[in-house]
Every structure is written in C-alpha cells, then in structure tokens.
Amino acid sequence: MEGLQEAGASPLILPVGNEENAKNYVHLIDGLLLTGGHDVDPARYHTEPHRNLQATFPQRDSFDLALIDAAIKKGIPILGVCRGMQILNVYFGGTLYQDLESEYGDNLIQHVQKTVFNFPIHKIQVEKNSYLSTILGEEAFVNSFHHQAVKVVGDGLHIVAKTSDGIIEALESSNPDMDILALQWHPETMLHDSKTGRIFFEDLVKRSKK
C-alpha cells in the first residue's frame, strides 16, 4: 500500500471472493499487483502434494486466477510478487517446485534469508534487452523469502532473471500485447532501503497510466 501511494496511486485492497467478484473488481482498477502469501495448491498444476508443502488457500488460488484472467482481457498491467509470480506461472500452464530444499539439489543458495527482509541477500543476473533490464540493469541484489519457485515456465512467459544456482527470479510475458512482470523477491520490504524496492511500484504506476 505504502509503495503504491508514494508512487502516486490510490491502491485498493481486493478481498478474496469468487470469480464474479474478481471480474467486478478489475473494472475498477488500472493495474493489478499480485502479492505474496500461501503456497499455491499443487492440484492447480496437476501434482500431488509434497510432504513439505505448507498451508494453501484454494479459494485465493481461484480468485487470483480469475483476477489474472480479467486483467489480461482488460489489457491492464500486472505485477506479480513471490506467490504472485508463482500463480501467474500456474495460470499460463507452468509448474512449481513445492519445496526447494528437498526438490532442487545440493547447489542451492539461501532463499529463505536469515537476516531482516529489508536488506538484499543475493545477486540475480538479468537477461539483456528484457524489460526488467531497463529497470535494474543486467545484475542486481535482491532479498529472498520463498521455499517454492517456478519449475516449468508456462506458455506465454519467458525467464528474464535467475540466481547463480539457476532458480528463476523474474518472468515477463512473451506476448507484447500482455503487460506482465513477475518477481520472486519482495520489493515491498525494501521500499526505503534499495532501488529494487520502490522502483517497481513506480514502474507499475507508470505502466498503469498508459
């Protein structure tokens, strides 16, 4: 809320509801921010629950997917953060690692940081000529608080940032008619401490004004 207000927006918090609610809410907004939160139900990508799956919120999954669908049909920009990136990937037919520590491999760097969340902890490499590179350049330091991550990228999305261990840190739409940017880190907790914080709220407002 604070990041969007400081960027000049009038943010609305959309309470979880049904698909019809989602459509009605999207009529009121010029841009959509999908926030972090619960694990996405693996049934959404046709997978059995891993033993280390954490709490899910199936109603929110349905609601977020309906918000995404309505926002794409309206043609407004979307910014996904952490779970927001993951549910976007699932919307486009992708899958997730349900638990990185037990599913990914031994070369995993720290993705649930032990230090406070307003400080960046690891580096990301950003794809040349991506939209994200116009914001961050070709590398940046970000914070990290996630035990899940994108596994198979959904159709219509492409990878624009990774960590040194290969975890996907950002996605963009490969369709120029869809204005989608999704981040695995949490810019909201770095709002006043790093350019990888406030700049994304300013960017969403700029995109929403078009």
Side-chain angles (χ1 to χ4, degrees):
M1 291 284 288
E2 186 179 350
L4 288 169
Q5 287 171 331
E6 289 185 3
S10 299
L12 301 176
I13 296 176
L14 308 180
V16 174
N18 58 32
E19 293 183 14
E20 192 61 31
N21 297 144
K23 293 175 186 177
N24 293 334
Y25 290 144
V26 168
H27 286 307
L28 305 174
I29 62 175
D30 301 308
L32 176 64
L33 170 60
L34 298 164
T35 66
H38 296 77
D39 287 0
V40 178
D41 183 353
R44 293 284 178 179
Y45 46 98
H46 313 294
T47 305
E48 291 293 320
H50 188 275
R51 64 183 180 276
N52 292 336
L53 180 72
Q54 296 180 9
T56 61
F57 189 173
Q59 185 185 3
R60 185 181 172 189
D61 292 344
S62 298
F63 181 68
D64 281 357
L65 291 166
L67 286 174
I68 294 166
D69 192 64
I72 288 172
K73 287 176 179 173
K74 186 178 178 181
I76 61 175
I78 300 173
L79 173 63
V81 171
C82 197
R83 170 198 153 88
M85 181 170 94
Q86 295 164 8
I87 195 73
L88 274 163
N89 190 56
V90 170
Y91 174 86
F92 283 97
T95 65
L96 305 176
Y97 290 105
Q98 293 185 50
D99 182 67
L100 285 174
E101 288 286 343
S102 50
E103 288 189 286
Y104 188 71
D106 294 336
N107 66 333
L108 196 67
I109 65 172
Q110 190 178 91
H111 287 277
V112 180
Q113 69 187 62
K114 310 303 181 186
T115 192
V116 289
F117 298 142
N118 56 313
F119 289 105
I121 188 174
H122 65 61
K123 187 162 64 174
I124 60 169
Q125 297 295 331
V126 181
E127 181 183 304
K128 277 185 178 181
N129 303 318
S130 63
Y131 181 74
L132 182 62
S133 71
T134 68
I135 301 173
L136 288 184
E138 292 180 23
E139 67 176 34
F141 281 88
V142 301
N143 62 8
S144 193
F145 185 64
H146 62 105
H147 86 113
Q148 298 199 318
V150 169
K151 187 175 183 180
V152 176
V153 178
D155 293 338
L157 298 174
H158 68 277
I159 301 165
V160 292
K162 285 185 176 182
T163 44
S164 60
D165 58 6
I167 296 299
I168 296 168
E169 287 284 332
L171 297 170
E172 294 176 10
S173 173
S174 51
N175 181 343
D177 294 327
M178 294 183 189
D179 190 355
I180 297 172
L181 175 62
L183 316 172
Q184 185 55 70
W185 66 93
H186 285 269
E188 75 279 6
T189 68
M190 299 190 293
L191 187 58
H192 299 122
D193 298 291
S194 170
K195 76 172 186 177
T196 50
R198 66 184 181 279
I199 196 168
F200 290 101
F201 301 102
E202 294 168 352
D203 178 69
L204 179 60
V205 172
K206 181 180 74 174
R207 291 190 286 139
S208 299
K209 286 180 176 179
K210 292 181 180 179

